[in-house]
Amino acid sequence: MSDSHPLEIPGMVAVSGGCGGLSRVCVTSPCSTAEIYPHGAHVTGFRKNGEPPLLFMSDSSVFRTGKAIRGGIPIIFPWFGDREGHPAHGYARTAEWEFHDSSVLADGSIRLVFRLPASGNFEVMSLVTVGECLSLELDVRNAGESDETFENCFHTYFEVGDIDTVSIHGLTGCGYFDKVASKTRIETAASIRIAGEVDRVYSGTTATVEITDPTLGRTIRVAKSGSASTVVWNPWIAKSKAMADFGDNEYRRMVCVESGNVGEDKVTLSPGDQSTLKMEISSGDAG
Ligand code: TA6
């Protein structure tokens, strides 16, 4: 009797045991590979053929129920940040999502669908499309009888060659809350450089952000829709040492550029309404 998973597609979608014995879905498209854990519907890897990984994964990440994977793309829902008596960044990233569907699209890219088990009045699906780019879509519907308010975010960890040489473009003129200085500011730099801990929530921006990485000779493009917030985070030295699931020097080869709706941009849905958060990650020459 075949013990293959019903959603496997020979040569394209395979389900196996991953780190920590957690289930892992491996995707092979004509031009890229990816891996996703139903634990958090968490994309832990994306790589275009012949290129370095686009996503950073901590070598110290743990893989166990109830704990968020460190790296890749944690799905933040229904709240961002700390909440007294509740897990930071909501419960979606530590939930066991149902692997719901798999398909090959007309352009040869491969689409996976994950469903968050019943979470109050929300019906939540995550769609992951693997091809020349990596696209994620988070669909949230209010199945209740009254308005529901939530925050959502793709908390994406990008792999970079050397944080000292990276510059981030697309947020000039945007207002942001600087969580390190606890101050509200306006971004005046034409490009953002990272030379210490950075933890900024940019509000009211729908802009595409580009991460220029001369060390790896590429520019990563983060396009989005249904998102009014962008978060930029690098823990730098002290915070890196304080995280057990993050290497002391790993801050040097990662930066988070996160796409969602956070704080003043939080979403309120009327009964029956749906919100769709989309992000598309691509890469090209540094130019
Ligand atoms: O998105 C930046 C941030 O909110 C930082 O303040 C830091 O807490 C980071 O998320 C990681 O949070 P985590 O709960 O995954 O350790």
Side-chain angles (χ1 to χ4, degrees):
M1 184 175 79
S2 160
D3 58 1
S4 66
H5 189 285
L7 292 178
E8 287 189 317
I9 303 174
M12 291 185 265
V13 178
V15 180
S16 60
C19 299
L22 297 177
S23 175
R24 176 180 57 193
V25 183
C26 292
V27 177
T28 304
S29 86
C31 47
S32 60
T33 56
E35 61 177 46
I36 304 93
Y37 283 74
H39 174 71
H42 197 127
V43 180
T44 54
F46 176 67
R47 180 173 204 160
K48 288 167 65 178
N49 296 344
E51 285 194 18
L54 268 174
L55 301 178
F56 164 87
M57 269 299 299
S58 172
D59 295 335
S60 304
S61 179
V62 298
F63 289 78
R64 66 168 181 264
T65 54
K67 174 76 177 154
I69 294 169
R70 179 68 68 188
I73 309 177
I75 294 177
I76 309 302
F77 176 83
W79 64 84
F80 183 94
D82 296 331
R83 177 170 287 195
E84 186 68 34
H86 294 280
H89 285 328
Y91 50 73
R93 65 175 181 167
T94 52
E96 300 310 313
W97 294 53
E98 173 212 351
F99 182 16
H100 186 72
D101 191 33
S102 63
S103 59
V104 184
L105 304 184
D107 67 357
S109 54
I110 295 156
R111 171 165 295 167
L112 308 183
V113 181
F114 297 86
R115 193 179 67 80
L116 180 62
S119 53
N121 288 325
F122 294 117
E123 289 176 356
V124 185
M125 307 285 273
S126 173
L127 287 69
V128 181
T129 306
V130 180
E132 183 67 25
C133 311
L134 173 69
S135 301
L136 270 72
E137 178 177 323
L138 185 69
D139 295 336
V140 177
R141 191 176 85 85
N142 176 0
E145 307 291 320
S146 53
D147 287 2
E148 293 284 352
T149 298
F150 62 91
E151 297 168 294
N152 59 8
C153 193
F154 293 127
H155 192 298
T156 312
Y157 289 70
F158 292 97
E159 176 93 15
V160 298
D162 176 352
I163 193 64
D164 291 344
T165 67
V166 162
S167 54
I168 297 167
H169 309 258
L171 295 167
T172 307
C174 296
Y176 67 92
F177 183 68
D178 181 336
K179 291 169 68 175
V180 176
S182 295
K183 281 198 171 78
T184 298
R185 304 181 196 272
I186 299 288
E187 186 53 74
T188 54
S191 69
I192 299 164
R193 304 297 295 263
I194 309 284
E197 182 185 354
V198 169
D199 195 347
R200 303 176 186 174
V201 180
Y202 292 84
S203 298
T205 172
T206 58
T208 292
V209 172
E210 292 195 342
I211 304 166
T212 300
D213 180 352
T215 303
L216 292 181
R218 71 181 177 195
T219 291
I220 297 174
R221 192 169 182 277
V222 188
K224 63 177 191 172
S225 65
S227 163
S229 314
T230 294
V231 181
V232 178
W233 178 58
N234 183 287
W236 209 247
I237 299 168
K239 288 283 173 60
S240 295
K241 288 180 176 167
M243 292 187 283
D245 61 347
F246 191 86
D248 289 356
N249 294 315
E250 288 188 319
Y251 72 94
R252 301 204 56 79
R253 56 183 185 87
M254 57 68 69
V255 65
C256 283
V257 174
E258 308 161 29
S259 308
N261 297 283
V262 166
E264 63 189 65
D265 296 324
K266 61 183 178 293
V267 178
T268 295
L269 288 180
S270 303
D273 280 358
Q274 173 170 311
S275 91
T276 295
L277 167 65
K278 284 186 184 177
M279 173 183 67
E280 181 184 272
I281 300 169
S282 56
S283 65
D285 292 343

